[in-house]
Amino acid sequence: MAALALLLLVAFAGSALAQSLPTLTGRVVDNAGIIDPASETALAARLEAFEGKSSDQIVVATISNLGGEAIEPYANRLFRAWGLGQAGEDNGILLLVAVEDRRMRIEVGYGLEGTLTDLHAKLIIENTMVPAFRAGDFSGGISQAVEDIILVLEGNAAELEARAERNSEDEGVWWEIIPFVLFFAVWGSLFFGSIFFAIFAPIFGRKIAPGRYRWLGVNVSYGGSGSSSGSRSSSSGSSWSSSSSSSFSGGGGSSGGGGASGSW
């Protein structure tokens, strides 16, 4: 009896979870309301045209949250519940965004796993969606991600890979030169600042003692020769700086969990 009760409880819990899935109302199901109307219309038209040409079915879905569930099983359940792609072909793709959880996933049907690989899905998420989402551009990030998915499905994956490599190289070069930029900025500020004060302190500053002047809140001292070659500066309590839809449904396709996930 206890085992039967446990099985019934598990079955009831699974049913409750299934009931929490959103309804498939079109190629764009923006339940979270993060896609502006113009972008949603254009996106739905783009997906419809691509499906008509290729038969591959791409659906975009946004939800408020995952209800405590990981995005991978949720996306797979949603994909299967909606039956994305054609039966026997399994050529569907789900792009899912959970706003409050700050998670996104590209779920790929069995039939497209060899074309839109896990690596490609990951590149699209990391190089297209994440930067746009962090900038607050959900509509742009989703629209461009769809274009990238279509790019790969149309056989142009090399272009996506090359773009990701260029982005990686650019970021690598930037992080490599930052220490040198900072070093020369500090060194230049100290070197030229010292010369600047050594030259102009006697001209514009106030003499406070033999060989000592105060200018712009800084005390500048000179050696007995009175030349700038023996100059040094001291902060003396202050400092200087350089200031420097029509009816729509899936075709009965399925997914085995291929794809990639990310967060922003």
Side-chain angles (χ1 to χ4, degrees):
M1 290 296 292
L4 179 60
L6 180 60
L7 288 174
L8 290 174
L9 180 61
V10 171
F12 176 78
S15 176
L17 282 173
Q19 292 174 5
S20 69
L21 295 175
T23 302
L24 181 62
T25 55
R27 292 176 175 84
V28 181
V29 184
D30 184 26
N31 282 6
I34 60 173
I35 307 175
D36 65 77
S39 296
E40 182 174 349
T41 299
L43 190 55
R46 177 72 168 117
L47 295 176
E48 182 178 7
F50 177 70
E51 183 177 343
K53 180 175 68 172
S54 67
S55 82
D56 296 339
Q57 189 174 67
I58 305 172
V59 171
V60 173
T62 73
I63 58 176
S64 296
N65 60 73
L66 296 161
E69 186 176 0
I71 195 168
E72 291 81 9
Y74 185 99
N76 188 252
R77 288 198 303 111
L78 186 60
F79 190 110
R80 289 170 172 268
W82 284 356
L84 302 185
Q86 309 305 315
E89 298 291 334
D90 298 317
N91 56 340
I93 291 175
L94 171 66
L95 193 162
L96 175 67
V97 177
V99 180
E100 294 174 8
D101 297 296
R102 303 178 72 87
R103 297 282 289 166
M104 71 273 278
R105 178 166 178 81
I106 297 175
E107 183 82 8
V108 182
Y110 287 115
L112 294 178
E113 288 183 355
T115 305
L116 185 67
T117 65
D118 294 358
L119 174 61
H120 295 138
K122 186 176 182 64
L123 290 177
I124 294 170
I125 287 173
E126 292 184 348
N127 295 310
T128 299
M129 298 182 72
V130 170
F133 281 24
R134 287 178 176 172
D137 185 9
F138 294 103
S139 297
I142 291 172
S143 297
Q144 186 56 55
V146 166
E147 292 300 326
D148 287 346
I149 291 171
I150 292 174
L151 184 76
V152 175
L153 295 182
E154 289 182 335
N156 300 308
E159 183 176 337
L160 177 73
E161 295 166 7
R163 187 202 311 160
E165 186 174 349
R166 288 194 300 270
N167 291 341
S168 177
E169 289 175 353
D170 291 342
E171 290 176 2
V173 170
W174 173 245
W175 283 109
E176 288 175 5
I177 67 173
I178 282 180
F180 296 99
V181 172
L182 291 176
F183 171 78
F184 285 109
V186 173
W187 179 85
S189 298
L190 293 173
F191 179 76
F192 291 106
S194 299
I195 294 176
F196 178 79
F197 273 86
I199 294 174
F200 292 104
I203 300 174
F204 300 105
R206 176 172 58 88
K207 188 173 183 179
I208 57 177
R212 296 186 65 194
Y213 298 85
R214 184 171 182 82
W215 184 49
L216 299 179
V218 178
N219 292 344
V220 181
S221 301
Y222 295 84
S225 64
S227 66
S228 62
S229 60
S231 66
R232 72 177 188 274
S233 62
S234 61
S235 61
S236 184
S238 61
S239 62
W240 64 273
S241 67
S242 60
S243 297
S244 354
S245 164
S246 57
S247 62
F248 173 77
S249 65
S254 187
S255 167
S261 306
S263 60
W264 74 95

